[in-house]
Amino acid sequence: MSYFSHLYCPKCSETYEKNRPVNLCKCGGPLLASYNLKSAGEFKKEDLKGRPENMWRYREMLPVEDPKNIVSLGEGYTPIFSLKRLGEKLGLENLCCKDEGLNPTGSFKARGAAAGISRIRELGIKEIAMPTAGNAGGAWASFGARAGIKAHIAMPADAPEITKTECAVAGASVYLVNGNIADAGKIIGEGAKKYGWFEVSTLKEPYRIEGKKTMGYEILEQMNWDPPDYIFYPTGGGVGIIGIWKAIKEMEELGWIDGKKKPKMVSVQAEGCAPIVRAYERGESFATEWTEPETIAAGIRVPKALGDFLVLEAIRDSGGTAIAVSDGEIKKAMEETARLEGMFICPEGAANVVALEKLVERGWINTQEKVLLLNTGAGIKYSQTLNYDFPLLEKTDRL
Ligand SMILES: Cc1ncc(COP(=O)(O)O)c(C=O)c1O
Ligand SMILES: [Zn+2]
């Protein structure tokens, strides 16, 4: 059973009943799911023992009420690997990576799509529409197909090729847009109004974040309820970092962690698109739109996020920080991680590696403490990003 009770607006505190499909609050703010945590006192972490190793093991704290509505492809419970060789190089005693590239559709977007599509099916919605940088589209098209829900997906024409194919092969209508995810979002907004599609853009519906927050539950459970000291997250719309922070607060209320030690949340962006970093450095509560966003890390090319104030809140409340890295550094870090650890991580995940290196150099990281990097997707989805040529790939019949 689920302890989901109602929706609320973190901007103006207005509440909404849970059974009517809704996008944003009247004030324009995003809506979040609230749980009846008094009765959730009966939900103990010991109850998790023996449950299937996927994100639905936390089903009491997820918004789907009838398990029959769950649409799953095995998402979640991804492994946490220690990064011994990379850690040694950086002088860190305890470095690890949660590899979200092992999710169905090759990215952590599967979690948001699983929760979102399941709840949308429960609410009886038949047609959805969204803009995407690529991976979310692939995930929502796939989970949508599995649920029999039609998806309309708009994405930048230069999104990673495989993500376009993923959407098309799963039967979604795909619209390639000359521009970035914000331009794609405008088109989807118009289409949704015109054709009555339900919009599932980042934080324009309350359920995607509920799937993403399971990363927070897993990190704690997999680390035996002893949180890492730092969590690095490549930030676009920011749903992951907001979600993990929400999960940590929920687990504190559930009595699963004492809350004395919380991870410092580190938000990582690209130098060519760093609205959150800029707002953080200026001490602002909201971020202004970034003009002409540009980076090879497609998933974090988000010029303006609806949940910017929640990302900034998570960074500040946790004592974390925000930092930007360059595309050149990202490419080098992809190679370095593959060569030292055998992990072909995505450019967004590699941005974390660069950010960590910089923060170690600055003396911001205590090198004896536990650092967790989230690799949000599989590097193999970005075949164009590291495009090797002669002499590394030499055509030959013999040596
Ligand atoms: C691989 C990858 N990492 C990170 C992100 C950023 O996620 P969010 O928008 O939740 O901040 C995305 C979003 O598309 C992504 O595809
Ligand atoms: Zn509001």
Side-chain angles (χ1 to χ4, degrees), residues 24-47:
L24 294 173
C25 175
K26 285 192 285 258
C27 80
L31 294 174
L32 299 178
S34 189
Y35 294 79
N36 189 352
L37 292 177
K38 281 198 193 73
S39 49
E42 293 150 39
F43 183 28
K44 298 188 181 57
K45 54 190 179 194
E46 291 74 33
D47 297 338

Side-chain angles (χ1 to χ4, degrees), residues 321-338:
T321 190
I323 179 167
V325 303
S326 75
D327 279 7
E329 292 169 319
I330 288 175
K331 278 195 186 180
K332 271 203 210 113
M334 285 175 81
E335 280 185 3
E336 188 169 45
T337 313

Side-chain angles (χ1 to χ4, degrees), residues 108-109 133 135 212 233-240 299-300 346 348 376-377 382:
F108 73 143
K109 297 283 175 179
N135 285 322
K212 293 255 192 111
Y233 178 78
T235 310
V239 186
I300 54 175
C346 64
E348 296 83 353
T376 43
Y382 297 74

Side-chain angles (χ1 to χ4, degrees), residues 9 11-14 25-29:
C9 171
K11 224 173 193 171
C12 75
S13 305
E14 181 74 21
C25 175
K26 285 192 285 258
C27 80

